[in-house]
Amino acid sequence: MDNQGPVWEVFVQKKAGQPFVHCGSLHAFDKEMALQNARDLYTRRSEGMSLWVVPSNAITASSPEDQGPFFESANDKVYRHPTFYQIPDAIGHM
Amino acid sequence: METINFENVFEGKLAKNEMVEPKDWMPENYRKHLIRQISQHAHSEIVGMLPEGNWITRAPSLRSKIVLLAKVQDEGGHGLYLYTAAETLGISRDELLDNLHTGKAKYSSIFNYPTLTWADIGAVGWLVDGAAIMNQVMLQRASYGPYARAMVRICKEESFHQRQGFEVMTRLAFGTSEQKEMAQDALNRWWYPTMMMFGPPDAESPNSENAMKWRIKRETNDQLRQKFVNQTVPQVEYLGLTVPDAHLKWNEEKKGYDFSEPNWAEFKQILSGNGPCNKERLAARNKAHHEGEWVRAAAMAYAKKKNEIYEAA
């Protein structure tokens, strides 16, 4: 049987200390090949200094239909934001 | 419990200029349209490597050779970005490639023309990539997230392609009279095929209406073609070359050029498989795929074996 190998998701870190950002996906037969392909495909112009490759089927994603109820509980908790609190003018920036 | 009307959610996203993502509900025709468009786009990148690859071994200097190699490698990369974007719509890579290899799927008509001289490499980068950029800049705002994001990457990489092509044209156009003639000859042969890249006139374009409605495209074929002519004519004048169109004329009223349409009968001929290089291109892709079969089989066997050792340990 002929095929292209499993799909991997690629995450690139641009500079040290920055978060890894998803940049796309690719096919590869194993981890090493996935890393090498990711380098050749997504960092041809020095777009990154570090790479993660993750088998796509290892990712579980929240579903768009549940977006409302799933994230709703954060919506009515304004007291989690600093602007909810009043600080006397005399204190200045806090 | 409130029921969700998926169609309304989808339409709402389009109306608000929000992106549709792979897991979102989408109409079946939208999915089909995208698979067709994105896979055609991917195939065009891959087949597009062939006419330029033709000149890698004959590039006139080491500099032009490494530049051309890098450009052709980019095209391969662009094809891969687009294949993975198409795969998010539920079609497999094997299926996509099979559709190309059997001739079931189309790719841009432009790549069925031959690259006869080194000037053609200049003309392809300058005109063909120039036209592609015009289309792709628009597609960066396409409504389907993975497609739009692939376009952003591609556009970033594409501008070097056009500039290197124009550089080749500049050298020839300002070179010896023979070189200039070569540049003019390439322009003569590539001008109308490039015009065709934007697709048939709006009135005869079967897919345009849906593409606009679904915000996959935001400008029509004719609008893009006009924009391309307006942008390119001054560049032709700079080179001291002549657009092979006796009817080309500035129209002050529309602030754009009037120009002749390409030969649409020729376009249809090429799309139906009868262009100068259709058979050669398809044969080259099939050959590459089949000759790579043992490599994929070996890589898969190796991965499987290593996995067994890992699991046994």
Side-chain angles (χ1 to χ4, degrees), chain B residues 100-292:
Chain B
L100 171 66
H101 297 148
T102 56
K104 194 178 154 204
K106 302 262 185 290
Y107 54 87
S108 177
S109 57
I110 194 83
F111 300 116
N112 290 313
Y113 290 91
T115 43
L116 302 177
T117 72
W118 175 249
D120 288 28
I121 296 305
V124 167
W126 168 41
L127 299 173
V128 175
D129 286 76
I133 290 170
M134 199 142 271
N135 192 33
Q136 290 173 160
V137 163
M138 165 190 75
L139 292 171
Q140 288 182 105
R141 298 190 299 136
S143 58
Y144 188 57
Y147 192 30
R149 289 191 286 275
M151 282 302 127
V152 172
R153 293 192 72 84
I154 289 175
C155 284
K156 263 189 208 157
E157 299 181 350
E158 198 87 62
S159 79
F160 121 66
H161 298 179
Q162 193 186 15
R163 291 173 67 129
Q164 65 84 32
F166 193 69
E167 191 190 84
V168 170
M169 290 306 279
T170 311
R171 295 210 170 166
L172 294 172
F174 294 104
T176 63
S177 62
E178 255 180 319
Q179 286 174 320
K180 186 172 178 180
E181 215 172 282
M182 204 193 229
Q184 181 64 54
D185 170 60
L187 173 60
N188 291 349
R189 284 182 290 107
W190 289 93
W191 178 258
Y192 288 106
T194 304
M195 297 279 121
M196 296 175 192
M197 285 176 69
F198 298 101
D202 295 346
E204 294 155 41
S205 174
N207 302 310
S208 274
E209 197 186 325
N210 279 338
M212 297 289 285
K213 184 182 85 184
W214 288 323
R215 292 186 191 271
I216 296 169
K217 291 182 68 164
R218 286 163 186 268
E219 287 165 275
T220 70
N221 296 355
D222 287 333
Q223 284 168 341
L224 289 166
R225 195 164 13 248
Q226 179 72 57
K227 224 167 141 178
F228 176 80
V229 173
N230 293 351
Q231 176 187 290
T232 310
V233 170
Q235 296 166 357
V236 177
E237 285 167 356
Y238 172 85
L239 293 170
L241 302 177
T242 313
V243 175
D245 179 0
H247 299 109
L248 185 86
K249 207 172 124 226
W250 177 256
N251 180 334
E252 184 58 32
E253 208 172 301
K254 71 172 186 186
K255 299 276 177 216
Y257 288 90
D258 292 331
F259 56 92
S260 306
E261 291 283 315
N263 180 346
W264 291 115
E266 180 180 313
F267 178 72
K268 280 183 192 143
Q269 274 295 307
I270 291 175
L271 285 190
S272 60
N274 300 317
C277 300
N278 291 57
K279 291 192 177 67
E280 189 185 329
R281 302 290 184 241
L282 220 50
R285 283 317 313 157
N286 272 291
K287 180 168 180 275
H289 187 72
H290 292 134
E291 287 181 354

Side-chain angles (χ1 to χ4, degrees), chain A residues 1-4 7 23 25-27 29-30 32-33 41-42 44-45 47 61-62 64-65, chain B residues 6 23-24 74 77 80-81 84 87 93-94 97 153 157 160 289 296 299-300 302-303 306:
Chain A
M1 196 194 84
D2 189 19
N3 74 41
Q4 310 293 318
V7 181
C23 68
S25 48
L26 50 78
H27 286 260
F29 290 95
D30 59 31
E32 286 79 19
M33 190 187 272
L41 191 54
Y42 291 106
R44 283 198 303 282
R45 288 173 176 77
E47 289 94 336
S62 62
E65 295 94 80
Chain B
F6 289 115
K23 289 185 79 181
D24 291 343
D74 270 355
L80 295 179
Y81 302 157
T84 50
E87 285 166 70
R93 178 73 62 93
D94 288 321
L97 292 180
R153 293 192 72 84
E157 299 181 350
F160 121 66
H289 187 72
R296 293 188 294 277
M300 189 155 59
Y302 178 71
K306 246 187 14 182

